[in-house]
Amino acid sequence: MSGRRHLDWLGLTPEPERELPAAVAALRASLGTAHHPPPARAELAAAERRRVERLVLRGSRHSWLRYLAEATALVTAVALRLDEQGGKDRPADRNADRNADKNAGTRADVDADAPTAAALLAAEVILDHHRMLIGLPGAGYGRTAGDRAALESALRLLRTRSRTAGPAPTARTGDGR
């Protein structure tokens, strides 16, 4: 193997490095537990931006795909939780339904949709990226087959469940269209 670094993976699309840090931070925040709450979302987003910057500047295709696999696991965890809870992001969101008239249009409603919107965005960006790998040399496309299948399944769940829970912002437009 030569000492040359293969950089073809960097030319696919800028969306992952631009869109994923905030989405992944929101997913991490949504999966925090009462015993181990995550840091503030702004801190998580800054940490994710630094991590992605390090991967792009110093990483390899393998480390980048590993990061995307980790983000895929977060997306699928949020989708499965949403499915188990009948379309609600958190158990507290079910209680919000009881007070829907009182809470309509508040920031709490927007926050309740944040994990779903973040999961939709991350899933679409990663899936687009993985589909483009077919045009690159190497085993990247084949290596991501399982992630593509998981993301397609998660997208179906997220889109279906978010519709049954009410209009959630779509990943690309952010306004429910």
Side-chain angles (χ1 to χ4, degrees):
M1 179 169 168
S2 72
R4 292 180 31 194
R5 187 171 165 224
H6 297 281
L7 302 175
D8 53 359
W9 61 278
L10 288 172
L12 279 178
T13 178
E15 279 81 10
E17 65 190 83
R18 198 173 40 212
E19 311 243 3
L20 286 180
V24 169
L27 294 173
R28 288 188 198 286
S30 76
L31 295 172
T33 65
H35 298 291
H36 300 287
R41 191 173 292 169
E43 292 174 32
L44 282 172
E48 288 298 324
R49 276 191 298 279
R50 286 189 302 272
R51 184 174 179 197
V52 167
E53 182 178 314
R54 275 193 312 274
L55 285 168
V56 168
L57 295 177
R58 294 183 207 92
S60 63
R61 181 188 315 189
H62 183 73
S63 62
W64 178 246
L65 292 178
R66 194 169 42 239
Y67 173 77
L68 295 178
E70 185 180 322
T72 297
L74 292 169
V75 167
T76 57
V78 168
L80 289 174
R81 183 183 66 193
L82 188 67
D83 187 47
E84 289 169 359
Q85 295 174 353
K88 298 297 178 185
D89 282 332
R90 295 182 297 263
D93 296 336
R94 286 185 232 145
N95 294 332
D97 279 348
R98 295 182 195 129
N99 301 317
D101 293 334
K102 186 169 53 173
N103 292 332
T106 65
R107 179 156 174 81
D109 294 335
V110 174
D111 287 345
D113 289 338
T116 301
L120 280 165
L121 174 65
E124 289 176 355
V125 168
I126 297 167
L127 190 56
D128 286 349
H129 175 278
H130 285 355
R131 287 175 175 156
M132 286 188 245
L133 288 173
I134 197 166
L136 294 180
Y141 185 78
R143 182 174 169 217
T144 60
D147 285 352
R148 285 192 312 277
L151 288 164
E152 288 166 353
S153 177
L155 276 170
R156 278 190 300 276
L157 271 174
L158 290 163
R159 288 176 179 148
T160 302
R161 291 301 184 180
S162 66
R163 275 189 230 117
T164 60
T170 62
R172 298 293 174 149
T173 64
D175 63 359
R177 284 186 269 157

